[in-house]
Amino acid sequence: MHFDGTDSYVATADLTVAVNAAVTLERPLLVKGEPGTGKTELARQVAQSLGLPIIEWHVKSTTRAQQGLYEYDAVSRLRDSQLGDERVNDVANYIRKGKLWEAFSAKQKVVLLIDEIDKADIEFPNDLLQELDRMEFFVYETGETVKADIRPIVIITSNNEKELPDAFLRRCFFHYIRFPEIEVMKQIVEVHHPGIKDALLTTALTQFYTLRETPGLKKKPSTSEVLDWLKLLLAEDLTSDDLKASAKDALPRLHGALLKNEQDVHLFERLAFMERSRR
């Protein structure tokens, strides 16, 4: 099994090396990077490229590690026992399988995505150490062991909001997705907006990267946001000259697609005022 990217996902050479190394080592691939750099989409594209099903576990702040294994619904069992339901005689009727159980018991190789692991409690990664390492866990209510006969490809994403435990990191192959340089970004844009005029693209990306590097910017716009911005520019049929004209006022055209909080908008308004004052 070898991943080389897909027609709809531009994977850099170092990213493909990381994916294939993790597959060879049979270790989880931990992918970090700015929001919007394609971490979640990577797992879907790996599954598509290798022709495998994908199981997605999207982690929230309230997610517990146990939910990924299974949950025992004791309340429903108690209610059914009070109603005289015969289902109560089999505890397995009240076991709800989690995403890891689904991946471990799959009859074929699958891609398991554990998305945004850093959103959960700091103990969350530690609670999954043994299960991800051994690819098995014990179900106390039924006395059975769920073990993966076919080891899944595990891809874990993190936005770097929290530091992950060293013991967890040791069990992963790590890759940081750097924000694309302009030439790579042009390739990404070509996938999503094929045939865009070179003059418009060059001017738009020049303004975009200048905006990203503005000192004091609270939230730098991501890849997904520049793609949305370009879609709006194309819908409005704007030209390279239109963008250059608007650049004199500091705020780019349709900047609402790029700037997502009032502090950054005010920053560029102040820059625009200072620019006009110097004229």
Side-chain angles (χ1 to χ4, degrees):
M1 301 186 115
H2 192 81
F3 175 69
D4 287 313
T6 66
D7 292 340
S8 57
Y9 188 89
V10 177
T12 57
D14 57 342
L15 179 56
T16 59
V17 167
V19 172
N20 293 314
V23 171
T24 301
L25 293 172
E26 294 188 326
R27 288 191 176 276
L29 173 63
L30 174 60
V31 184
K32 289 187 178 183
E34 290 182 30
T37 48
K39 300 183 298 296
T40 302
E41 188 61 25
L42 171 65
R44 297 168 182 157
Q45 295 300 323
V46 168
Q48 178 183 321
S49 174
L50 302 180
L52 302 176
I54 184 169
I55 296 172
E56 300 187 16
W57 185 16
H58 299 283
V59 177
K60 301 178 181 179
S61 60
T62 55
T63 303
R64 295 177 292 106
Q66 181 64 33
Q67 293 173 315
L69 307 178
Y70 70 93
E71 290 185 281
Y72 170 51
D73 191 353
V75 175
S76 293
R77 193 181 188 196
L78 176 61
R79 184 187 63 242
D80 289 348
S81 69
Q82 293 170 339
L83 296 174
D85 194 322
E86 293 184 358
R87 294 176 72 248
V88 299
N89 296 321
D90 186 359
V91 69
N93 291 325
Y94 302 93
I95 299 292
R96 291 185 291 193
K97 299 178 180 178
K99 298 297 185 180
L100 268 69
W101 189 325
E102 289 180 34
F104 290 3
S105 61
K107 301 302 181 184
Q108 67 175 108
K109 201 172 193 68
V110 301
V111 173
L112 171 62
L113 167 65
I114 304 177
D115 196 31
E116 298 190 330
I117 194 172
D118 54 326
K119 276 190 174 180
D121 185 84
I122 189 62
E123 291 303 319
F124 182 92
N126 280 331
D127 292 341
L128 292 177
L129 283 180
Q130 297 302 320
E131 289 78 7
L132 290 175
D133 199 27
R134 299 178 181 177
M135 288 290 159
E136 67 177 46
F137 62 89
F138 185 71
V139 184
Y140 293 95
E141 289 77 7
T142 63
E144 65 179 307
T145 297
V146 177
K147 183 177 177 61
D149 294 326
I150 306 172
R151 197 175 182 96
I153 297 172
V154 181
I155 297 178
I156 303 171
T157 72
S158 169
N159 287 328
N160 224 9
E161 293 179 8
K162 291 191 188 88
E163 287 295 326
L164 299 175
D166 289 345
F168 181 81
L169 295 174
R170 282 198 301 271
R171 288 166 168 82
C172 299
F173 190 94
F174 173 76
H175 182 73
Y176 183 84
I177 298 183
R178 294 180 177 84
F179 195 81
E181 295 181 357
I182 192 165
E183 291 306 317
V184 176
M185 185 64 80
K186 286 182 177 180
Q187 297 176 40
I188 295 172
V189 171
E190 181 61 27
V191 168
H192 294 271
H193 304 299
I196 187 170
K197 293 180 179 178
D198 186 63
L200 173 62
L201 179 59
T202 299
T203 301
L205 290 184
T206 299
Q207 290 187 9
F208 170 73
Y209 279 92
T210 300
L211 184 150
R212 264 186 61 87
E213 298 307 316
T214 300
L217 198 64
K218 184 175 181 181
K219 181 194 175 302
K220 294 183 178 182
S222 66
T223 304
S224 59
E225 287 160 339
V226 73
L227 292 174
D228 287 344
W229 185 51
L230 287 168
K231 183 177 181 178
L232 289 173
L233 297 182
L234 292 170
E236 294 291 328
D237 198 24
L238 297 176
T239 66
S240 172
D241 291 337
D242 294 328
L243 293 185
K244 289 176 181 177
S246 67
K248 296 176 182 178
D249 295 325
L251 273 169
R253 294 286 289 269
L254 301 166
H255 61 269
L258 300 174
L259 303 175
K260 298 301 177 70
N261 61 66
E262 62 276 15
Q263 294 97 320
D264 289 342
V265 173
H266 291 161
L267 170 64
F268 276 86
E269 286 175 344
R270 288 196 299 272
L271 292 174
F273 176 77
M274 292 168 61
E275 179 66 24
R276 288 193 295 268
S277 299
R278 284 197 294 264
R279 292 174 190 171

